[in-house]
Short mmCIF file of all heavy atoms in Angstrom, two decimals:
data_model
loop_
_atom_site.label_atom_id
_atom_site.label_comp_id
_atom_site.label_asym_id
_atom_site.label_seq_id
_atom_site.Cartn_x
_atom_site.Cartn_y
_atom_site.Cartn_z
N TYR A 248 -10.51 36.33 9.48
CA TYR A 248 -12.01 36.58 9.34
C TYR A 248 -12.49 37.14 10.71
O TYR A 248 -13.34 38.01 10.66
CB TYR A 248 -12.70 35.34 8.93
CG TYR A 248 -12.37 34.92 7.61
CD1 TYR A 248 -11.41 33.96 7.37
CD2 TYR A 248 -12.95 35.41 6.47
CE1 TYR A 248 -11.04 33.60 6.05
CE2 TYR A 248 -12.66 35.13 5.18
CZ TYR A 248 -11.73 34.13 5.00
OH TYR A 248 -11.27 33.81 3.70
N ARG A 249 -11.99 36.63 11.82
CA ARG A 249 -12.45 37.13 13.12
C ARG A 249 -12.10 38.64 13.28
O ARG A 249 -12.91 39.44 13.70
CB ARG A 249 -11.81 36.41 14.19
CG ARG A 249 -12.30 36.78 15.70
CD ARG A 249 -11.84 35.68 16.59
NE ARG A 249 -10.44 35.60 16.79
CZ ARG A 249 -9.62 34.68 16.49
NH1 ARG A 249 -10.10 33.55 15.92
NH2 ARG A 249 -8.19 34.64 16.72
N GLN A 250 -10.84 39.00 12.78
CA GLN A 250 -10.49 40.48 12.92
C GLN A 250 -11.17 41.35 11.82
O GLN A 250 -11.56 42.41 12.07
CB GLN A 250 -9.03 40.44 12.73
CG GLN A 250 -8.23 39.91 13.89
CD GLN A 250 -8.10 38.38 13.89
OE1 GLN A 250 -8.21 37.79 12.79
NE2 GLN A 250 -8.03 37.83 15.05
N ALA A 251 -11.37 40.67 10.59
CA ALA A 251 -12.11 41.36 9.56
C ALA A 251 -13.54 41.68 9.96
O ALA A 251 -14.08 42.80 9.56
CB ALA A 251 -11.99 40.60 8.32
N TRP A 252 -14.20 40.71 10.77
CA TRP A 252 -15.54 40.94 11.28
C TRP A 252 -15.63 42.26 12.08
O TRP A 252 -16.42 43.03 12.07
CB TRP A 252 -15.98 39.74 11.90
CG TRP A 252 -17.48 39.72 12.33
CD1 TRP A 252 -18.05 40.47 13.27
CD2 TRP A 252 -18.44 38.86 11.68
NE1 TRP A 252 -19.40 40.22 13.27
CE2 TRP A 252 -19.62 39.29 12.41
CE3 TRP A 252 -18.51 38.05 10.67
CZ2 TRP A 252 -20.95 38.76 11.96
CZ3 TRP A 252 -19.71 37.43 10.33
CH2 TRP A 252 -21.00 37.80 10.98
N GLU A 253 -14.63 42.19 13.05
CA GLU A 253 -14.53 43.35 14.03
C GLU A 253 -14.43 44.78 13.23
O GLU A 253 -15.07 45.73 13.57
CB GLU A 253 -13.37 43.28 14.89
CG GLU A 253 -13.44 42.14 15.95
CD GLU A 253 -12.28 42.17 16.91
OE1 GLU A 253 -12.41 42.80 17.95
OE2 GLU A 253 -11.32 41.45 16.59
N PHE A 254 -13.60 44.69 12.14
CA PHE A 254 -13.33 45.91 11.41
C PHE A 254 -14.73 46.33 10.70
O PHE A 254 -15.10 47.55 10.65
CB PHE A 254 -12.26 45.67 10.34
CG PHE A 254 -12.08 46.82 9.38
CD1 PHE A 254 -11.42 47.82 9.72
CD2 PHE A 254 -12.52 46.77 8.01
CE1 PHE A 254 -11.21 48.97 8.82
CE2 PHE A 254 -12.45 47.76 7.16
CZ PHE A 254 -11.72 48.94 7.52
N LEU A 255 -15.44 45.35 9.99
CA LEU A 255 -16.61 45.58 9.43
C LEU A 255 -17.70 46.21 10.33
O LEU A 255 -18.59 46.92 10.04
CB LEU A 255 -17.16 44.49 8.64
CG LEU A 255 -16.49 44.04 7.38
CD1 LEU A 255 -16.92 42.77 6.77
CD2 LEU A 255 -16.58 45.15 6.30
N ASP A 256 -17.70 45.63 11.62
CA ASP A 256 -18.57 46.15 12.71
C ASP A 256 -18.18 47.46 13.19
O ASP A 256 -18.87 47.94 14.03
CB ASP A 256 -18.66 45.13 13.70
CG ASP A 256 -19.71 43.95 13.36
OD1 ASP A 256 -20.28 44.02 12.28
OD2 ASP A 256 -19.87 43.08 14.14
N GLY A 257 -17.09 48.00 12.86
CA GLY A 257 -16.61 49.32 13.30
C GLY A 257 -16.00 49.27 14.66
O GLY A 257 -15.72 50.33 15.34
N ALA A 258 -15.68 47.97 15.15
CA ALA A 258 -15.09 47.91 16.47
C ALA A 258 -13.58 48.23 16.48
O ALA A 258 -13.00 48.61 17.54
CB ALA A 258 -15.22 46.53 17.01
N ILE A 259 -12.95 48.05 15.37
CA ILE A 259 -11.48 48.41 15.17
C ILE A 259 -11.26 49.02 13.91
O ILE A 259 -12.07 49.05 13.05
CB ILE A 259 -10.63 47.15 15.26
CG1 ILE A 259 -10.97 46.11 14.25
CG2 ILE A 259 -10.62 46.48 16.67
CD1 ILE A 259 -10.04 44.96 14.13
N ASP A 260 -10.14 49.88 13.78
CA ASP A 260 -9.87 50.55 12.56
C ASP A 260 -8.82 49.65 11.78
O ASP A 260 -8.43 48.58 12.09
CB ASP A 260 -9.12 51.89 12.90
CG ASP A 260 -7.86 51.87 13.64
OD1 ASP A 260 -7.16 50.75 13.76
OD2 ASP A 260 -7.51 52.90 14.24
N ALA A 261 -8.41 50.22 10.60
CA ALA A 261 -7.53 49.44 9.63
C ALA A 261 -6.16 49.00 10.29
O ALA A 261 -5.78 47.86 10.22
CB ALA A 261 -7.37 50.16 8.44
N ASP A 262 -5.65 50.01 11.04
CA ASP A 262 -4.37 49.61 11.68
C ASP A 262 -4.55 48.53 12.75
O ASP A 262 -3.64 47.58 12.87
CB ASP A 262 -3.73 50.83 12.39
CG ASP A 262 -3.26 52.00 11.42
OD1 ASP A 262 -3.03 51.55 10.28
OD2 ASP A 262 -3.11 53.10 11.76
N ALA A 263 -5.60 48.56 13.56
CA ALA A 263 -5.83 47.48 14.47
C ALA A 263 -6.13 46.15 13.78
O ALA A 263 -5.72 45.12 14.36
CB ALA A 263 -7.00 47.92 15.42
N LEU A 264 -6.83 46.21 12.76
CA LEU A 264 -7.12 45.02 11.96
C LEU A 264 -5.84 44.34 11.55
O LEU A 264 -5.64 43.04 11.78
CB LEU A 264 -8.01 45.41 10.67
CG LEU A 264 -8.02 44.26 9.53
CD1 LEU A 264 -8.67 42.99 10.13
CD2 LEU A 264 -8.74 44.87 8.43
N ARG A 265 -4.93 45.11 11.04
CA ARG A 265 -3.63 44.52 10.64
C ARG A 265 -2.91 43.95 11.88
O ARG A 265 -2.31 42.86 11.79
CB ARG A 265 -2.76 45.54 9.81
CG ARG A 265 -1.60 44.93 9.10
CD ARG A 265 -0.35 45.54 9.46
NE ARG A 265 0.79 44.97 8.75
CZ ARG A 265 1.89 44.73 9.34
NH1 ARG A 265 2.18 44.92 10.68
NH2 ARG A 265 2.94 44.17 8.69
N ALA A 266 -2.76 44.80 12.86
CA ALA A 266 -2.05 44.42 14.05
C ALA A 266 -2.59 43.19 14.74
O ALA A 266 -1.91 42.30 15.10
CB ALA A 266 -1.94 45.52 15.01
N LYS A 267 -3.82 43.09 14.84
CA LYS A 267 -4.56 41.95 15.51
C LYS A 267 -4.53 40.74 14.68
O LYS A 267 -4.30 39.62 15.13
CB LYS A 267 -5.98 42.35 15.80
CG LYS A 267 -6.11 43.45 16.96
CD LYS A 267 -7.59 43.65 17.34
CE LYS A 267 -8.11 42.53 18.19
NZ LYS A 267 -9.54 42.88 18.73
N GLY A 268 -4.62 40.94 13.34
CA GLY A 268 -4.48 39.80 12.47
C GLY A 268 -3.07 39.17 12.50
O GLY A 268 -2.99 37.87 12.45
N VAL A 269 -2.09 39.91 12.34
CA VAL A 269 -0.74 39.53 12.49
C VAL A 269 -0.47 38.79 13.75
O VAL A 269 0.09 37.74 13.82
CB VAL A 269 0.29 40.60 12.18
CG1 VAL A 269 1.71 40.08 12.43
CG2 VAL A 269 0.17 41.10 10.61
N ALA A 270 -0.88 39.43 14.84
CA ALA A 270 -0.63 38.82 16.21
C ALA A 270 -1.33 37.51 16.44
O ALA A 270 -0.86 36.55 16.91
CB ALA A 270 -1.09 39.81 17.22
N ALA A 271 -2.58 37.48 15.80
CA ALA A 271 -3.29 36.19 15.94
C ALA A 271 -2.75 35.11 15.15
O ALA A 271 -2.66 33.89 15.58
CB ALA A 271 -4.79 36.36 15.67
N THR A 272 -2.17 35.38 14.01
CA THR A 272 -1.55 34.53 13.15
C THR A 272 -0.20 33.99 13.82
O THR A 272 0.10 32.72 13.76
CB THR A 272 -1.25 34.98 11.78
OG1 THR A 272 -2.42 35.64 11.27
CG2 THR A 272 -0.79 33.95 10.80
N ARG A 273 0.52 34.86 14.41
CA ARG A 273 1.68 34.43 15.12
C ARG A 273 1.36 33.46 16.30
O ARG A 273 2.06 32.45 16.45
CB ARG A 273 2.40 35.57 15.56
CG ARG A 273 3.23 36.41 14.45
CD ARG A 273 3.83 37.67 15.03
NE ARG A 273 4.83 37.53 16.01
CZ ARG A 273 5.74 38.44 16.36
NH1 ARG A 273 5.58 39.65 15.94
NH2 ARG A 273 6.54 38.18 17.34
N GLN A 274 0.29 33.82 17.02
CA GLN A 274 -0.10 32.94 18.11
C GLN A 274 -0.55 31.46 17.53
O GLN A 274 -0.25 30.55 18.19
CB GLN A 274 -1.33 33.56 18.88
CG GLN A 274 -0.96 34.86 19.61
CD GLN A 274 -2.12 35.54 20.12
OE1 GLN A 274 -3.26 35.27 19.87
NE2 GLN A 274 -1.85 36.77 20.80
N LEU A 275 -1.09 31.53 16.34
CA LEU A 275 -1.60 30.27 15.82
C LEU A 275 -0.33 29.42 15.52
O LEU A 275 -0.22 28.31 15.69
CB LEU A 275 -2.33 30.53 14.53
CG LEU A 275 -2.62 29.31 13.70
CD1 LEU A 275 -3.44 28.19 14.34
CD2 LEU A 275 -3.43 29.70 12.33
N ALA A 276 0.73 30.15 14.83
CA ALA A 276 1.96 29.42 14.48
C ALA A 276 2.59 28.91 15.72
O ALA A 276 3.20 27.74 15.73
CB ALA A 276 2.81 30.36 13.69
N LYS A 277 2.58 29.61 16.83
CA LYS A 277 3.23 29.19 18.08
C LYS A 277 2.46 27.88 18.57
O LYS A 277 3.12 26.86 19.04
CB LYS A 277 3.13 30.25 19.20
CG LYS A 277 3.83 29.92 20.46
CD LYS A 277 3.77 31.05 21.46
CE LYS A 277 4.32 30.65 22.81
NZ LYS A 277 4.27 31.73 23.81
N ARG A 278 1.17 27.88 18.49
CA ARG A 278 0.51 26.68 18.96
C ARG A 278 0.82 25.47 18.05
O ARG A 278 0.90 24.36 18.42
CB ARG A 278 -1.06 26.98 18.95
CG ARG A 278 -1.55 27.89 19.93
CD ARG A 278 -3.07 27.84 20.14
NE ARG A 278 -3.77 28.19 18.96
CZ ARG A 278 -4.10 29.45 18.61
NH1 ARG A 278 -3.74 30.47 19.44
NH2 ARG A 278 -4.78 29.70 17.43
N GLN A 279 0.85 25.67 16.74
CA GLN A 279 1.16 24.72 15.75
C GLN A 279 2.58 24.13 16.04
O GLN A 279 2.75 22.93 15.98
CB GLN A 279 1.14 25.31 14.30
CG GLN A 279 -0.34 25.58 13.84
CD GLN A 279 -0.33 26.29 12.58
OE1 GLN A 279 0.39 27.13 12.38
NE2 GLN A 279 -1.38 26.07 11.75
N LEU A 280 3.52 24.96 16.30
CA LEU A 280 4.85 24.50 16.54
C LEU A 280 4.92 23.71 17.96
O LEU A 280 5.66 22.72 18.09
CB LEU A 280 5.84 25.69 16.69
CG LEU A 280 6.13 26.23 15.31
CD1 LEU A 280 6.96 27.72 15.54
CD2 LEU A 280 7.03 25.45 14.49
N THR A 281 4.10 24.11 18.87
CA THR A 281 4.02 23.28 20.16
C THR A 281 3.41 21.90 19.85
O THR A 281 4.04 20.86 20.38
CB THR A 281 3.06 23.96 21.17
OG1 THR A 281 3.63 25.35 21.43
CG2 THR A 281 2.94 23.26 22.36
N TRP A 282 2.48 21.85 19.04
CA TRP A 282 2.03 20.51 18.60
C TRP A 282 3.15 19.66 17.87
O TRP A 282 3.29 18.50 18.17
CB TRP A 282 0.78 20.63 17.71
CG TRP A 282 -0.49 20.84 18.34
CD1 TRP A 282 -1.02 21.95 18.71
CD2 TRP A 282 -1.52 19.83 18.53
NE1 TRP A 282 -2.28 21.83 19.25
CE2 TRP A 282 -2.66 20.56 19.14
CE3 TRP A 282 -1.59 18.51 18.23
CZ2 TRP A 282 -3.74 19.88 19.42
CZ3 TRP A 282 -2.85 17.89 18.57
CH2 TRP A 282 -3.85 18.53 19.19
N LEU A 283 3.84 20.24 17.01
CA LEU A 283 4.84 19.62 16.19
C LEU A 283 5.93 19.10 17.14
O LEU A 283 6.50 17.97 16.82
CB LEU A 283 5.38 20.59 15.26
CG LEU A 283 4.50 20.86 14.04
CD1 LEU A 283 5.12 21.84 13.13
CD2 LEU A 283 4.20 19.49 13.19
N ARG A 284 6.35 19.85 18.13
CA ARG A 284 7.33 19.37 19.07
C ARG A 284 7.00 18.01 19.68
O ARG A 284 7.87 17.34 20.15
CB ARG A 284 7.77 20.45 20.10
CG ARG A 284 8.62 21.55 19.57
CD ARG A 284 9.12 22.44 20.71
NE ARG A 284 8.18 23.14 21.39
CZ ARG A 284 7.85 24.42 20.98
NH1 ARG A 284 8.39 25.01 19.94
NH2 ARG A 284 6.84 25.06 21.60
N ALA A 285 5.69 17.77 19.94
CA ALA A 285 5.23 16.55 20.53
C ALA A 285 4.87 15.48 19.51
O ALA A 285 4.20 14.51 19.85
CB ALA A 285 4.10 16.86 21.49
N THR A 286 5.08 15.80 18.25
CA THR A 286 4.65 14.78 17.24
C THR A 286 5.91 14.19 16.48
O THR A 286 6.75 14.91 15.88
CB THR A 286 3.84 15.62 16.09
OG1 THR A 286 2.73 16.26 16.87
CG2 THR A 286 3.36 14.64 15.02
N PRO A 287 5.96 12.88 16.47
CA PRO A 287 7.07 12.20 15.85
C PRO A 287 6.99 12.45 14.28
O PRO A 287 6.02 12.14 13.72
CB PRO A 287 6.94 10.75 16.17
CG PRO A 287 5.99 10.65 17.34
CD PRO A 287 5.09 11.92 17.14
N ALA A 288 8.02 12.95 13.67
CA ALA A 288 8.12 13.24 12.23
C ALA A 288 9.52 13.64 11.87
O ALA A 288 10.42 13.96 12.67
CB ALA A 288 7.20 14.61 12.00
N ALA A 289 9.70 13.38 10.58
CA ALA A 289 10.98 13.75 9.95
C ALA A 289 10.97 15.31 9.75
O ALA A 289 10.12 15.84 9.04
CB ALA A 289 11.16 13.05 8.68
N ALA A 290 11.82 16.10 10.42
CA ALA A 290 11.71 17.52 10.53
C ALA A 290 12.77 18.16 9.44
O ALA A 290 13.81 17.69 9.33
CB ALA A 290 12.03 18.00 11.91
N PHE A 291 12.28 19.14 8.79
CA PHE A 291 13.12 19.89 7.92
C PHE A 291 12.92 21.41 8.10
O PHE A 291 11.86 21.85 8.42
CB PHE A 291 12.61 19.45 6.47
CG PHE A 291 12.86 18.10 6.03
CD1 PHE A 291 11.88 17.21 6.45
CD2 PHE A 291 13.99 17.81 5.36
CE1 PHE A 291 12.10 15.84 5.96
CE2 PHE A 291 14.20 16.35 4.98
CZ PHE A 291 13.26 15.47 5.40
N ASP A 292 13.95 22.11 7.96
CA ASP A 292 14.03 23.61 7.97
C ASP A 292 13.48 23.90 6.61
O ASP A 292 14.19 23.70 5.63
CB ASP A 292 15.31 24.14 8.26
CG ASP A 292 15.40 25.65 8.44
OD1 ASP A 292 14.36 26.30 7.98
OD2 ASP A 292 16.35 26.19 8.83
N PRO A 293 12.33 24.80 6.49
CA PRO A 293 11.87 25.03 5.12
C PRO A 293 12.85 26.06 4.44
O PRO A 293 12.64 26.33 3.18
CB PRO A 293 10.53 25.88 5.48
CG PRO A 293 10.65 26.18 6.95
CD PRO A 293 11.52 25.17 7.64
#
Side-chain angles (χ1 to χ4, degrees):
Y248 292 94
R249 185 168 66 247
Q250 292 76 28
W252 189 289
E253 290 183 89
F254 175 79
L255 285 173
D256 278 359
I259 58 175
D260 61 15
D262 290 339
L264 163 60
R265 193 234 179 222
K267 293 184 73 172
V269 171
T272 309
R273 287 174 60 168
Q274 290 166 1
L275 170 62
K277 182 179 180 180
R278 292 194 299 271
Q279 290 167 323
L280 287 166
T281 298
W282 277 80
L283 286 175
R284 282 194 290 271
T286 303
F291 295 85
D292 184 349

